[in-house]
C-alpha cells in the first residue's frame, strides 16, 4: 500500500503523538494496517498486538522489524470479540468511522484496557465517502468516547486545504486520549 507523502506524514504524526503514552506498556493497535506505525510504537512499548481485518496488510506487518515483541491478528471489528483484556494502551487511528457500529467497537476497546489504561485515537471531521459508515463532528466523537471512557484531551489536528473536483475544503481530524477509570 502506498500513501501520498502528506498522508504518510500525517499517519506517522499520529503514532508520534501516541509515543507519549506507550513507554514500557502493552499496546493494542486497532486498525494497524501494514504495521508502519507499530514500528514507531515499538521504540518504547513493552509489546504490541496489532488487529486489522485485511490479511494481506497483516502479512506485511508481520514481515517488519520491531524493537519489542509484536504479534498481529485478523479481527473483523464488526463481528469479532477482542482477545485479551490486559492492554495498558489502545491506539485506534482513522478506524472508528469505518465500522458498522462505533459504539460496539468502543465497548470492545474499553473492555481490552486495564483499569487506568489509555485510549489514543483519531477520527476525521465529517468526511463523507464510501468507506466511512459514520461521520463525526466534535460533539459526536466526544459523546462516543464519553459513553465508555473518560475523555482527557481532544485536539483539532491536521487542518489543511485539499481539492476535490476543483472545490476547496478544509480537512480536520480530531486526535485525543481518554482513560479507563
Amino acid at each position: 500500500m502506498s500513501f501520498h507523502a502528506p498522508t504518510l506524514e500525517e499517519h506517522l504524526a499520529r503514532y508520534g503523538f501516541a509515543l507519549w503514552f506507550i513507554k514500557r506498556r502493552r499496546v493494542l493497535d486497532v486498525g494497524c494496517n501494514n504495521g508502519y506505525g507499530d514500528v514507531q510504537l515499538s521504540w518504547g512499548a513493552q509489546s504490541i498486538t496489532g488487529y486489522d481485518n485485511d490479511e494481506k496488510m497483516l502479512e506485511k506487518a508481520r514481515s517488519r522489524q520491531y524493537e519489542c515483541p509484536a504479534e498481529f491478528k485478523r479481527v473483523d471489528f464488526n463481528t469479532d470479540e477482542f482477545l485479551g483484556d490486559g492492554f495498558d494502551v489502545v491506539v485506534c487511528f482513522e478506524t472508528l468511522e469505518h465500522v458498522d457500529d462505533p459504539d460496539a467497537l468502543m465497548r470492545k476497546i474499553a473492555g481490552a484496557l486495564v483499569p487506568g489504561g489509555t485510549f489514543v485515537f483519531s477520527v476525521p471531521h465529517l468526511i463523507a465517502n464510501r468507506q466511512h459508515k459514520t461521520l463525526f463532528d466534535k460533539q459526536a466523537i466526544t459523546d462516543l468516547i464519553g459513553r465508555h471512557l473518560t475523555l482527557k484531551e481532544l485536539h483539532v489536528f491536521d487542518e489543511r486545504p485539499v481539492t476535490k473536483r476543483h472545490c476547496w475544503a478544509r480537512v480536520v481530524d480530531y486526535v485525543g486520549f481518554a482513560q479507563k477509570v
Side-chain angles (χ1 to χ4, degrees), residues 2-22:
S2 63
F3 291 95
H4 183 270
T7 303
L8 177 59
E9 291 168 8
E10 291 153 12
H11 282 293
L12 292 176
R14 290 179 188 98
Y15 282 97
F17 175 70
L19 286 172
W20 289 99
F21 305 96
I22 57 96

Side-chain angles (χ1 to χ4, degrees), residues 26 85-89 109-118 179-181:
R26 294 161 297 172
D85 58 1
F87 295 101
D88 302 302
V89 178
I109 288 168
L113 283 168
V114 298
T118 302
Q179 289 189 309
K180 182 174 182 175
V181 181

Side-chain angles (χ1 to χ4, degrees), residues 21-178:
F21 305 96
I22 57 96
K23 188 165 185 162
R24 291 190 284 268
R25 303 274 191 255
R26 294 161 297 172
V27 177
L28 171 61
D29 185 358
V30 175
C32 66
N33 196 276
N34 63 18
Y36 61 88
D38 295 315
V39 171
Q40 256 186 295
L41 295 181
S42 76
W43 300 339
Q46 176 183 322
S47 63
I48 295 173
T49 300
Y51 288 171
D52 205 279
N53 66 352
D54 186 331
E55 189 59 42
K56 287 183 183 180
M57 290 295 112
L58 290 169
E59 288 173 19
K60 290 180 183 179
R62 291 180 189 111
S63 72
R64 295 183 184 275
Q65 297 290 339
Y66 300 93
E67 300 298 318
C68 70
E71 65 177 330
F72 298 91
K73 299 176 183 177
R74 187 180 185 288
V75 174
D76 182 327
F77 303 132
N78 292 309
T79 59
D80 295 344
E81 292 302 316
F82 286 8
L83 307 173
D85 58 1
F87 295 101
D88 302 302
V89 178
V90 175
V91 298
C92 181
F93 297 135
E94 308 299 300
T95 302
L96 287 166
E97 67 277 10
H98 292 275
V99 298
D100 294 334
D101 185 354
D103 220 41
L105 180 54
M106 280 304 307
R107 272 192 301 279
K108 294 173 189 179
I109 288 168
L113 283 168
V114 298
T118 302
F119 174 55
V120 186
F121 64 92
S122 70
V123 296
H125 171 79
L126 298 175
I127 296 179
N129 65 40
R130 60 186 165 86
Q131 290 97 12
H132 292 180
K133 297 178 180 181
T134 303
L135 302 181
F136 290 100
D137 62 10
K138 186 175 183 179
Q139 190 62 55
I141 192 61
T142 299
D143 291 347
L144 174 66
I145 302 296
R147 284 194 293 274
H148 303 277
L149 301 166
T150 302
L151 184 62
K152 296 295 189 178
E153 290 184 16
L154 181 67
H155 304 278
V156 174
F157 179 78
D158 201 336
E159 195 169 346
R160 66 197 186 281
V162 297
T163 61
K164 183 177 180 183
R165 298 182 192 196
H166 310 296
C167 297
W168 284 89
R170 298 300 290 178
V171 175
V172 175
D173 285 350
Y174 300 108
V175 63
F177 75 96

